Amino acid sequence: MSLSNTATITWFFACKVEDVPANGGVCVKYRDEQIALFHFSRRGEWYATQNLCPHRRQMALSRGMIGTQGGEPKVACPFHKKSFSLADGRCLSDDTECSLTTYPVKVEEDRVYIGIVNGSGHAAVMA
């Protein structure tokens, strides 16, 4: 996700750190959206993307396997193994036509927040 200098980010509380498995993901609901939240603990990093896999249109990415490809953090869809960059959402498989929306993540005092550009900041509910 690239942000312009005028874009504002609204942070919403997604969950507690302990709610997300190490080196795994969970699905967080924000309004009508499902967001996949990942704790890549081996790298000490957090990522968030849309939960909808653009390839087969399934809400499944939060259950995907995370790892690296050429040093790039990635998630592989659990159904068809298409891989996407957790950093910027681009497809790392042979299909460059599909990509993911990514969201900024921050952790403060064991609470995980996801940023929505120009959003309203309603609390999320674990799905």
Side-chain angles (χ1 to χ4, degrees):
M1 167 189 302
S2 79
L3 302 175
S4 72
N5 291 339
T6 60
T8 59
I9 297 177
T10 298
W11 295 95
F12 72 91
F13 171 69
C15 62
K16 292 187 174 192
V17 167
E18 66 208 36
D19 295 331
V20 185
N23 298 304
V26 295
C27 180
V28 175
K29 187 163 169 75
Y30 177 78
R31 294 187 172 177
D32 295 330
E33 299 293 321
Q34 289 187 28
I35 299 174
L37 175 65
F38 301 98
H39 182 197
F40 203 151
S41 59
R42 290 187 306 262
R43 293 173 59 112
E45 298 169 345
W46 290 84
Y47 298 96
T49 70
Q50 69 189 50
N51 194 37
L52 178 68
C53 177
H55 180 246
R56 296 287 173 129
R57 311 291 298 165
Q58 295 171 308
M59 294 291 190
L61 290 178
S62 62
R63 293 177 283 159
M65 293 188 63
I66 61 174
T68 58
Q69 181 173 325
E72 180 83 19
K74 69 169 187 165
V75 61
C77 178
F79 292 113
H80 57 76
K81 309 303 181 230
K82 213 171 259 298
S83 294
F84 300 90
S85 167
L86 288 170
D88 63 16
R90 76 186 184 286
C91 184
L92 300 174
S93 301
D94 54 358
D95 182 2
T96 58
E97 293 294 316
C98 57
S99 62
L100 304 177
T101 299
T102 59
Y103 304 89
V105 178
K106 69 180 179 179
V107 178
E108 295 178 347
E109 300 179 10
D110 293 327
R111 294 169 61 94
V112 183
Y113 297 87
I114 298 174
I116 303 295
V117 176
N118 298 321
S120 69
H122 293 287
V125 177
M126 295 293 288

